[in-house]
Amino acid sequence: AGFRVLGWNRSPARAEALREHGVTPVLELHEAAAQAELVWSVLADDAALRAVAIGDGGRGVLAAMRAGATFVG
């Protein structure tokens, strides 16, 4: 519906495979998060969610997102 969709995966080949569905793969999660109005995560478990959302030393995706953006974990 006219939205640009960026995709990141810990396995870059998996993100690249989404290109045929209109997703633009990015190599760095922070690159996608910094540009997003909405970040939607699909992760294996709570530990993976914490690792991506909060990261080491608080440098996860939440820190990269701009003010007013939404994170769905």
Side-chain angles (χ1 to χ4, degrees):
F3 294 100
R4 181 171 161 222
V5 178
L6 304 176
W8 173 84
N9 192 296
R10 290 178 283 181
S11 302
R14 289 186 176 181
E16 185 61 40
L18 296 173
R19 188 180 295 276
E20 67 182 83
H21 300 287
V23 175
T24 301
V26 295
L27 294 177
E28 297 294 331
L29 177 57
H30 288 86
E31 175 188 347
Q35 299 176 52
E37 293 179 34
L38 171 67
V39 174
W40 189 283
S41 67
V42 179
L43 297 158
D45 54 34
D46 289 346
L49 176 60
R50 277 190 295 278
V52 169
I54 300 169
D56 292 330
R59 295 181 44 92
V61 69
L62 293 175
M65 293 173 65
R66 63 183 180 208
T70 301
F71 179 78
V72 178

